[in-house]
Amino acid sequence: MHRKVMIIAGEASGDARAAGLVRAVKRQRPDIRFFGIGGDQLRAEGVDTLVDSRVMAVVGLFEVLAHFPTIYGALQLMRRKLREERPDLLILVDYPDFNLRLAKTAKELGIKVLYYISPQIWAWRQERVHRIRELVDHMAVVFPFEEPFYRNAGVPVTFVGHPLVEEVHSSFDHIGACRAFGLDPARKVLGLFPGSRRSEIKRLLPVLLDAAAQLHTKHPDLQFILPRASTLSEADLAPHFAGRNVPVTVVPGRAYDVMAACDAIVSASGTATLEIALMRTPLVVIYKIAPLSYRIMSRMVKVNHIALCNIVAGARIAPELIQHDAKADRIADEAESLLYDTMRNAQMRERLSLVREKLGAAGASDNVARVVLQMLDIPTPR
């Protein structure tokens, strides 16, 4: 009997993690059918994506409200598919507010639920762990500090390692990467990483480009490069370049090769900060959401850092410019220091090695695939 699995990846980073999981499962059981929500990477693995993740990717309380009809429509469709298809397993990847609602439907139908890539409940709204205990059969977590958190709360959990450890690499060195994108390796390169969600682009790309304009005026030889996430189109970026005379090389995808080309990067907070850290490229992290969203969320946050690379390291390795501090002149100053202060650049590269150490060995996709097969009652090789 062919097994059916619904998988939900509502954002670009989740699409990549989910694709690695599906690939690892299909190496052992190519007959398993996957369907659900995802993007280009899940589709490339043969997953039937009933909703494209790019319409789901928003951040901030009020930004989510603005997209509520689209997101609610996707939730209702997935609930209906759970009832009609009765998959053998529901796999949820991050995206907690949506996914926990879907988990409730699965629980009512007696469908097993695996949650891969935990919500950051250790950072804020920790009370959600009680809901997870009620709705989720197993957590597959990617940070070592998450395992004791869930175990102490009575939630079945496996630390599978972080998939980025095996995924983050470039086939180029710095010089080769520069040449691949038509950049001069003898001149400094600054990466602009505004995020993968349209709401992030709206808030962060204008201020990034204003900072780039200031730097371009002061350092005419400085080169700029921006990787466009798979969840975004050219049309999402184009309006923000209008009227700004800054020469930026925009590259569809290929984020890791772009990181290799950069002497420093200014990045939106999120998974990208972890990826950049694993590439050991010095970075400045910026974070900005709707003012009221920020006031509410800042009261709930339980961690000392907002950037994942700093949270994993347990130290403020990368500077963080949050909300009103994420201004063009502050961004330009921090980026300029990282680009032209050779000692600071080298010291940050050295300290970023700590992130890889903390995340442990490779093999996350195979480890979580083993959990999937066990939950499907399929024997796995030892």
Side-chain angles (χ1 to χ4, degrees):
M1 183 180 72
H2 291 312
R3 306 299 178 92
K4 294 182 292 187
V5 175
M6 179 184 282
I7 188 163
I8 308 295
E11 298 177 292
S13 58
D15 185 46
R17 306 293 83 77
L21 182 161
V22 170
R23 193 180 312 120
V25 169
K26 287 197 165 189
R27 276 199 293 268
Q28 296 189 53
R29 287 296 297 263
D31 58 312
I32 295 176
R33 178 194 162 216
F34 287 89
F35 67 99
I37 295 176
D40 292 342
Q41 296 192 58
L42 272 181
R43 278 190 289 277
E45 298 302 327
V47 176
D48 181 11
T49 54
L50 307 174
V51 178
D52 194 300
S53 58
R54 72 187 52 161
V55 304
M56 310 276 287
V58 291
V59 65
L61 304 178
F62 295 95
E63 292 84 347
V64 169
L65 286 175
H67 288 79
F68 179 77
T70 299
I71 295 171
Y72 184 72
L75 178 61
Q76 291 299 89
L77 174 62
M78 292 302 109
R79 282 171 167 163
R80 193 172 79 243
K81 288 296 180 182
L82 280 176
R83 295 186 185 99
E84 292 172 356
E85 297 270 357
R86 295 293 176 121
D88 301 284
L89 179 66
L90 170 63
I91 301 175
L92 307 171
V93 184
D94 202 355
Y95 209 63
D97 292 321
F98 182 98
N99 278 338
L100 289 176
R101 285 175 172 82
L102 194 59
K104 185 173 186 294
T105 303
K107 191 74 172 177
E108 292 166 354
L109 295 169
I111 296 167
K112 292 180 184 178
V113 178
L114 170 66
Y115 210 124
Y116 178 41
I117 316 286
S118 168
Q120 294 177 5
I121 60 174
W122 35 268
W124 70 301
R125 291 172 60 195
Q126 292 189 0
E127 73 281 356
R128 288 179 292 176
V129 74
H130 305 301
R131 192 162 178 230
I132 287 172
R133 185 172 56 230
E134 293 170 5
L135 301 177
V136 174
D137 294 284
H138 203 97
M139 294 295 301
V141 298
V142 298
F143 296 117
F145 55 81
E146 292 176 318
E147 189 172 35
F149 177 88
Y150 279 108
R151 184 163 287 123
N152 292 339
V155 181
V157 59
T158 302
F159 170 57
V160 295
H162 206 295
L164 289 179
V165 172
E166 59 198 281
E167 291 174 14
V168 175
H169 60 86
S170 171
S171 51
F172 299 104
D173 60 11
H174 173 71
I175 292 173
C178 285
R179 288 177 175 155
F181 299 122
L183 302 172
D184 181 355
R187 294 158 51 198
K188 298 286 187 186
V189 179
L190 179 65
L192 307 177
F193 284 58
S196 61
R197 307 175 180 101
R198 290 187 181 96
S199 56
E200 286 178 307
I201 295 301
K202 184 178 177 182
R203 293 199 179 279
L204 299 181
L205 186 53
V207 72
L208 273 179
L209 293 175
D210 288 344
Q214 291 183 21
L215 288 166
H216 181 59
T217 300
K218 197 170 179 182
H219 303 279
D221 280 352
L222 180 58
Q223 303 167 105
F224 302 94
I225 188 167
L226 186 157
R228 174 169 56 81
S230 62
T231 46
L232 301 168
S233 66
E234 289 182 31
D236 292 321
L237 304 185
H240 305 291
F241 283 92
R244 289 183 170 93
N245 189 24
V246 188
V248 180
T249 300
V250 178
V251 178
R254 299 184 64 184
Y256 302 152
D257 291 339
V258 171
M259 291 172 195
C262 294
D263 295 285
I265 291 171
V266 183
S267 174
S269 179
T271 305
T273 69
L274 210 51
E275 295 169 315
I276 295 163
L278 287 169
M279 289 291 292
R280 296 181 66 220
T281 304
L283 72 156
V284 180
V285 181
I286 61 174
Y287 181 81
K288 197 173 187 180
I289 56 175
L292 188 52
S293 292
Y294 179 74
R295 281 199 293 274
I296 293 169
M297 290 174 70
S298 61
R299 293 191 181 101
M300 302 177 180
V301 172
K302 306 289 185 185
V303 289
N304 297 323
H305 315 289
I306 205 160
L308 271 175
C309 59
N310 291 337
I311 292 170
V312 170
R316 184 65 62 90
I317 295 177
E320 299 177 354
L321 298 177
I322 300 169
Q323 207 61 9
H324 61 275
D325 287 330
K327 298 184 292 191
D329 56 344
R330 291 287 306 275
I331 294 169
D333 287 347
E334 287 286 358
E336 182 180 40
S337 172
L338 279 181
L339 286 165
Y340 297 101
D341 183 336
T342 306
M343 184 174 291
R344 186 184 179 203
N345 189 290
Q347 286 174 342
M348 188 179 290
R349 287 182 188 275
E350 185 62 32
R351 294 189 72 200
L352 288 172
S353 300
L354 183 62
V355 175
R356 184 175 287 274
E357 283 177 33
K358 291 285 185 86
L359 290 179
S365 294
D366 287 330
N367 292 338
V368 73
R370 198 171 297 117
V371 175
V372 169
L373 294 172
Q374 287 168 355
M375 292 185 74
L376 291 170
D377 297 318
I378 295 172
T380 59
R382 294 194 175 274

